[in-house]
Amino acid sequence: NLLADRDRFQEQLIRAMNAHEQAMGAAQASAEELQQARERCEARRARYESLREVVETRGDVSHGTPHLLERGEEAAQQYGLRGLLRDQFEVDRDAERAVEVVLADRAGAIVTDDVRGAVDALARLRQDSAGRGMFIVEPGAGARAAGIVPLGERLLERVQPKPGFEGIARALFGEVYLVSSLAEVLEAYSASSLPATFVTGSGDMISPDGFIQGGSDTSSTGSLTRLREVTELETELAGLDRNVEQCQVAAREAETRRIRATEELDNLRNRHHTAALAVANDEKDLERSNERVKTLDMAREQGNEARSSLLEHNVSLVSEGERLRVEAHDAYAVCDEVYEHLAFDGRPHIPMITLP
């Protein structure tokens, strides 16, 4: 049934169009999600590469520092170099800014075994015209022990030094206390009799020697924060790369489904078009057949009318012949159908009605 086939293809075509629209939407959404994932990944990667370059090239320390460290084990043994100070601590995240303020430029200093090694290293920098350097030496056994200040939290509690660097950590942070605000310090002590250095989490600091710094932080990221951020970005980028890969797989699958839906839609459109043409051709054939039937009916009616006319004319001729024969012989001949076919002695029978 051509009409049934056409209607069936029409229903399938509607379902295919809906499926194609959904596949198009899913493919577009997957492509947009992939693009966003790539943009996030590239933005974070650019940040990571920028920070990593600064950290690896030591671009944020004195020019002489990389010159010595790049000499490797030779310089380490000759001058007793143990590495950058900032690399020897793990600091709680919420105390990073306070530690950076306390360390200041010393964060980029090189830790040395003794003062003599540091002095010899300075001489080498002058000899090589390699710029200035900064060094820090672990305090000796006679260093003054830190007292206890009943205000704030000792910053040393927020710092985890690597093995062998505990003495430097105590010397740098043992008499520094983390407080919520400097106003709190001034309420407890007078500015001229501070028992220790106090620093806030946002980087405001006051020391017994009258040095005060702080305010709005418009500087670039500190060295400790950079180190932590580089580590965190490495982990984050690994996750972002996995997410991009997953988005790529999802986008490819969505595109495959879209292509299949498009092919199915095109196929059904062709089949529906073919069925519709078949129905149209059949309707035209039916219309031509109906026209032919009408023509034949008209011809038959005309034939019937002509036959009736001929029959009437024949009857009229027969009547006229009978009338003429009667007038010619003045008699009527009555013929029987059966006896007209009887013959005797083998002679042919000549029906009387055939005689003039």
Side-chain angles (χ1 to χ4, degrees):
N1 191 317
L2 294 178
L3 288 174
D5 289 343
R6 185 195 64 181
D7 293 341
R8 177 167 54 84
F9 286 135
Q10 177 70 22
E11 294 176 356
Q12 294 177 356
L13 180 60
I14 292 175
R15 290 195 295 269
M17 291 176 66
N18 293 333
H20 180 262
E21 184 177 358
Q22 293 175 358
M24 287 286 291
Q28 182 177 358
S30 295
E32 291 176 354
E33 185 177 358
L34 174 60
Q35 181 64 25
Q36 293 173 359
R38 284 174 173 168
E39 291 175 355
R40 287 195 302 270
C41 187
E42 291 306 316
R44 300 304 288 166
R45 193 180 304 280
R47 173 67 175 172
Y48 169 74
E49 294 296 339
S50 176
L51 292 176
R52 185 175 62 86
E53 181 180 4
V54 172
V55 171
E56 291 183 354
T57 61
R58 302 181 178 92
D60 57 342
V61 298
S62 302
H63 295 299
T65 300
H67 178 75
L68 292 173
L69 294 178
E70 287 170 1
R71 296 174 63 88
E73 189 63 25
E74 175 191 354
Q77 293 181 359
Q78 183 177 357
Y79 306 115
L81 308 183
R82 301 174 61 188
L84 285 178
L85 176 63
R86 69 186 183 191
D87 296 334
Q88 314 312 320
F89 307 113
E90 295 290 337
V91 181
D92 293 351
R93 184 167 183 167
D94 60 348
E96 282 180 352
R97 188 56 182 152
V99 171
E100 288 172 348
V101 169
V102 172
L103 291 179
D105 292 341
R106 292 177 296 183
I110 300 177
V111 180
T112 59
D113 291 332
D114 53 45
V115 175
R116 175 56 62 185
V119 173
D120 291 343
L122 289 177
R124 181 58 182 267
L125 291 177
R126 279 192 295 271
Q127 177 184 340
D128 296 344
S129 299
R132 298 178 64 82
M134 185 179 299
F135 304 88
I136 186 168
V137 180
E138 185 170 354
R144 182 173 63 89
I148 298 177
V149 177
L151 181 63
E153 178 185 3
R154 182 176 290 179
L155 190 57
L156 184 61
E157 302 298 327
R158 298 296 193 94
V159 178
Q160 297 80 45
K162 293 181 180 179
F165 294 89
E166 295 85 355
I168 291 180
R170 285 193 298 270
L172 293 173
F173 309 113
E175 295 188 28
V176 180
Y177 288 81
L178 186 64
V179 294
S180 59
S181 69
L182 296 186
E184 177 185 0
V185 176
L186 296 179
E187 288 179 0
Y189 306 99
S190 65
S192 59
S193 60
L194 295 177
T197 297
F198 295 92
V199 64
T200 67
S202 60
D204 294 343
M205 186 180 73
I206 185 171
S207 62
D209 58 3
F211 179 72
I212 304 172
Q213 69 168 325
S216 177
D217 188 6
T218 59
S219 62
S220 59
T221 303
S223 59
L224 296 178
T225 304
R226 275 194 295 271
L227 291 173
R228 173 185 53 78
E229 191 172 355
V230 166
T231 302
E232 291 177 350
L233 282 173
E234 289 176 349
T235 302
E236 182 181 355
L237 283 174
L240 289 175
D241 286 337
R242 288 193 298 271
N243 184 51
V244 169
E245 292 176 359
Q246 293 172 356
C247 289
Q248 287 176 335
V249 172
R252 285 195 296 268
E253 292 176 350
E255 181 63 15
T256 300
R257 289 192 295 270
R258 183 197 67 79
I259 292 174
R260 285 200 298 265
T262 300
E263 293 174 348
E264 179 67 16
L265 179 60
D266 291 341
N267 179 48
L268 284 172
R269 279 175 173 165
N270 292 333
R271 296 175 69 183
H272 177 263
H273 179 68
T274 301
L277 285 178
V279 170
N281 291 334
D282 188 65
E283 289 176 346
K284 290 181 180 179
D285 291 342
L286 180 60
E287 183 178 352
R288 285 193 293 266
S289 297
N290 289 335
E291 291 296 329
R292 187 176 179 184
V293 168
K294 289 181 181 179
T295 301
L296 291 175
D297 288 341
M298 291 177 62
R300 184 179 61 185
E301 291 178 359
Q302 292 174 357
N304 290 336
E305 291 177 356
R307 180 173 177 277
S308 298
S309 176
L310 289 174
L311 289 175
E312 291 176 358
H313 182 64
N314 184 49
V315 171
S316 175
L317 290 176
V318 171
S319 298
E320 180 65 18
E322 291 177 353
R323 186 184 64 77
L324 291 175
R325 282 192 294 271
V326 170
E327 290 179 354
H329 299 283
D330 192 21
Y332 286 97
V334 178
C335 301
D336 185 87
E337 292 181 357
V338 175
Y339 290 101
E340 285 182 358
H341 295 282
L342 295 177
F344 302 95
D345 299 330
R347 289 175 293 182
H349 172 67
I350 299 175
M352 186 179 294
I353 197 170
T354 63
L355 297 176

